[in-house]
Each structure stands twice: as C-alpha cells, then as structure tokens.
C-alpha cells in the first residue's frame, strides 16, 4: 500500500509540473489587471492608459487599468506584491515606491527585490534644474560659481521631502558644493507657481513638467540629470557636466509582476509592453513629454531589475546625505 501511495503521489506531482508549462502556454485566457498605485490623472495613470490598447492587442485579452491609490503608491504596490503570481495582475510604477521608499522608510510591507518579478522598463523622464527668469546665470558652471559664492543663498523648491527632486538636490550639492537649501512644497504645482512668481530662484522637477515653462520663457532649464543631453534641449548641459557623479536621476516607469510568476508568462507580458512602446502613437506621445524609451533590446526583466538595484544604491546615498526619513 505504501509503495502504491508513493507512486500515486509521484504521478500527481509530475502531472502538476506538466500543467505549469501548459498554463503558461495558454496565458492569457482572461483579462489582465494593470494596477496603478495612484488616483486617475497623474503621469503613471496616463502611461497605463496610453499603453493599454496596444498591450491588449498584443496579449489578445483586455488589459484593465485599476487604480489602487493610497500612501504615495504603497497601497497598490503592496496589493500586487501579495497577488497570485499567475500573470493576471501587474503593477505599473514610478520610482518612489520601489527605489526611494525602501531606503527612506523604516517599515515597508514589501521588498522591491524579493517580492516582485520585473517585466520591463517603459521609460525614464529626467529630472531637470530650473531657474527663475531673473536669474542671470546661463550655464551650469556660472550658476554653481554664483551659488558657492553665496552659501545658503539659493533656495530650491521641489514637490516635497523625499521626492526624487529633493534627493537630486542632495546629490547636486554633494557633487558641486553649490549649497542649495531645499524648500519642500505640497506638490509640483505650488512650487512651479512660486518659481514663476520669483519667490524661489531654483527648482528641481521632471522634464515633462518643465518643458512648457522653458519654451514660453517663464523659467529656464539649465541642467538635466540624464546620461546624455536631451534631443529636445540639446543646448542644455547634463548635471554630470557640472560635477555630479550619478549619470541619471529620473522618474522611471516600469512594469512588475508578483514574485514567482512563471518566466514564460513574464515573457509574454514583456513582449506586450515592448509592442506597445514600439507603437508610433505611443512613442510620439511619450517623446513629446521628454520621456526616454529604452532600446528594444533593453526592454527586459534583467535590465529593469538592474535599474531598480542601481536606483536603490543612488537614493540610499542621497537619503544619508540629506538625513531623509519618511513615515
């Protein structure tokens, strides 16, 4: 009886192993959820809905955008971390939930490296240094020289404490000795309004938010935190040219699945993301906002996973420099 029981258990185990690849091959057989950890209307939600039609077509099943807002993206991120790893739940996320909060908060209900399977990076939007229109400095070198000559004399606004822009200030100060004083606002809008009004001389923000201000002369972009100069602003120097060590500081958007999602399923999701990013309309809309889509060869789980690890290292250093603690 024992021998017969062991034989039956072994057969059942083999059947289960065989069923796994079969399920992966059939995937997807129903709609796939794309969770956004923010309310409708923001850049992450915008991107999800921009990618949705092309991804649905590539997968042969509807991709349903679901907003699970709360705690700066933590609620939605945690929900996906705890979802079944079957490919039917994905997360689209920006930088903060997976690269900043893990190094700036003492407690987080998930681990970005342990609890997720990367699918692929969608794009980066570089952080830029904006100055008010009455600031006479035309180059980064001029600006840094002037800032160093008046220690603490330049305040720099951001969307808030612990934001990517705030951490960019800490890294910029460390690399250049500029001594900018961080002024946190409750969101990008109020900070931009004060910059335009001349109430603050400097602001760090995403390129997508700053482009129109630069174009119409209400403020000027004099530095960009990208590895290379932006084709949208070829005359604007990179922050690395001013002395920063880090080549790229950006809002990075990508797709993640729960850890344990079968590799074959992840590959189907990755291929759908790559197809969506190759769509001419999608690429044009993102490019007009200053988003940098990676080459097709870099839209992979391995590449996005390395991006997250690199960002964790960079922002860990920035958090220590600024003694940043988020709750």
């Amino acid at each position: 009886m024992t021998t017969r029981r062991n034989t039956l258990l072994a057969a059942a185990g083999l059947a289960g192993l065989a069923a796994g690849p079969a399920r992966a091959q059939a995937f997807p057989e129903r709609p796939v959820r794309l969770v956004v950890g923010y309310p409708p209307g923001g850049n992450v939600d915008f991107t999800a809905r921009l990618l949705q039609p092309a991804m649905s077509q590539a997968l042969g099943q509807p991709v349903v955008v679901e907003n699970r807002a709360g705690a700066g993206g933590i609620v939605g991120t945690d929900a996906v971390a705890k979802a079944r790893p079957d490919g039917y739940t994905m997360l689209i996320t920006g930088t903060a939930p997976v690269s900043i909060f893990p190094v700036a908060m003492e407690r987080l209900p998930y681990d970005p490296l342990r609890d997720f399977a990367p699918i692929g990076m969608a794009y980066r939007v570089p952080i830029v240094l904006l100055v008010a229109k009455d600031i006479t400095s035309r180059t980064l070198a001029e600006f840094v020289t002037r800032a160093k000559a008046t220690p603490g004399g330049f305040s720099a606004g951001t969307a808030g404490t612990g934001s990517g822009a705030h951490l960019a200030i800490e890294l910029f100060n460390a690399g250049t000795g500029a001594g900018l004083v961080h002024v946190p606002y409750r969101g990008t809008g109020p900070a931009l309004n004060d910059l335009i009004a001349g109430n603050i001389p400097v602001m760090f923000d995403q390129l997508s938010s700053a482009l129109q201000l630069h174009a119409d002369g209400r403020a000027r972009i004099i530095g960009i935190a990208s590895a290379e100069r932006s084709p949208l602003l070829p005359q604007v120097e990179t922050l690395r040219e001013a002395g920063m060590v880090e080549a790229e500081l950006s809002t990075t958007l990508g797709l993640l699945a729960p850890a344990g999602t079968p590799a074959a399923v992840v590959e189907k999701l990755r291929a759908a993301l790559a197809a969506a990013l190759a769509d001419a309309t999608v690429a044009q809309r993102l490019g007009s906002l200053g988003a940098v889509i990676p080459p097709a060869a870099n839209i992979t789980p391995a590449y996005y996973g390395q991006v997250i690890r690199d960002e964790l290292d960079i922002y860990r250093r920035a958090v220590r420099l600024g003694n940043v603690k988020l709750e």
Side-chain angles (χ1 to χ4, degrees):
M1 290 294 292
T2 300
T3 301
R4 175 177 170 76
R5 180 173 180 274
N6 289 342
T7 301
L8 290 172
L9 288 173
L14 289 172
L17 289 173
R23 285 194 298 268
Q25 188 174 7
F27 175 87
E29 298 177 297
R30 62 179 189 272
V32 176
R33 290 191 304 154
L34 181 57
V35 175
V36 177
Y38 303 94
N43 64 331
V44 180
D45 179 73
F46 165 80
T47 302
R49 296 180 191 281
L50 183 63
L51 296 174
Q52 181 184 30
M55 289 193 69
S56 297
Q57 183 176 5
L59 289 170
Q61 288 286 348
V63 171
V64 180
V65 176
E66 179 180 318
N67 296 89
R68 296 285 297 273
I74 292 175
V75 170
T77 304
D78 186 46
V80 175
K82 294 177 171 57
R84 289 186 62 183
D86 55 10
Y88 288 99
T89 303
M90 299 182 287
L91 175 74
I92 181 168
T93 182
T95 303
V98 294
S99 299
I100 295 178
F101 294 162
V103 297
M105 302 180 74
E106 288 189 8
R107 295 180 182 178
L108 205 60
Y110 56 83
D111 182 291
L113 301 180
R114 180 195 65 211
D115 295 333
F116 294 98
I119 295 169
M121 187 176 84
Y123 63 78
R124 295 180 187 267
V125 175
I127 290 173
V128 297
L129 190 164
L130 273 164
V131 296
K133 59 185 178 182
D134 60 349
I135 298 297
T136 57
S137 303
R138 292 289 166 180
T139 67
L140 276 172
E142 290 177 9
F143 175 76
V144 170
T145 298
R146 184 175 173 185
K148 290 171 73 173
T150 55
F154 281 90
S155 55
T158 71
T161 299
S163 63
H166 172 202
L167 299 181
I169 292 175
E170 301 297 342
L171 294 165
F172 185 75
N173 282 341
T176 65
L180 305 180
V181 177
H182 178 227
V183 180
Y185 284 78
R186 287 187 149 184
T188 297
L192 286 173
N193 289 338
D194 265 7
L195 182 76
I196 295 167
N199 296 328
I200 54 172
V202 183
M203 183 174 173
F204 279 69
D205 195 19
Q206 296 180 54
L207 176 59
S208 54
S209 303
L211 271 172
Q212 190 57 51
L213 296 180
H214 180 85
D216 61 24
R218 286 180 291 169
R220 290 197 325 280
I221 299 172
I222 64 169
I224 184 167
S226 53
E228 300 174 350
R229 296 191 184 194
S230 169
L232 298 177
L233 299 166
Q235 75 283 7
V236 174
E237 300 169 283
T238 68
L239 295 185
R240 173 169 270 192
E241 291 176 80
M244 284 183 57
V245 175
E246 288 74 19
E248 296 184 271
L249 296 172
S250 60
T251 295
T252 304
L253 264 74
L255 268 59
L256 298 168
T261 302
V265 170
V266 170
E267 170 54 26
K268 288 191 176 184
L269 298 173
R270 183 214 65 79
L273 171 63
L277 293 171
D279 180 270
T281 300
V282 172
Q284 190 277 328
R285 292 287 301 278
L286 293 177
S288 68
L289 297 174
V292 181
I293 298 173
N298 288 344
I299 304 175
T300 66
Y303 184 84
Y304 185 35
Q306 188 59 53
V307 167
I308 293 173
R309 288 190 290 273
D310 290 344
E311 287 184 338
L312 286 167
D313 289 342
I314 291 170
Y315 289 123
R316 186 176 291 110
R317 176 170 172 254
V319 162
R320 289 171 181 164
L321 286 168
N323 193 28
V324 177
K325 295 180 181 178
L326 299 177
E327 299 188 8

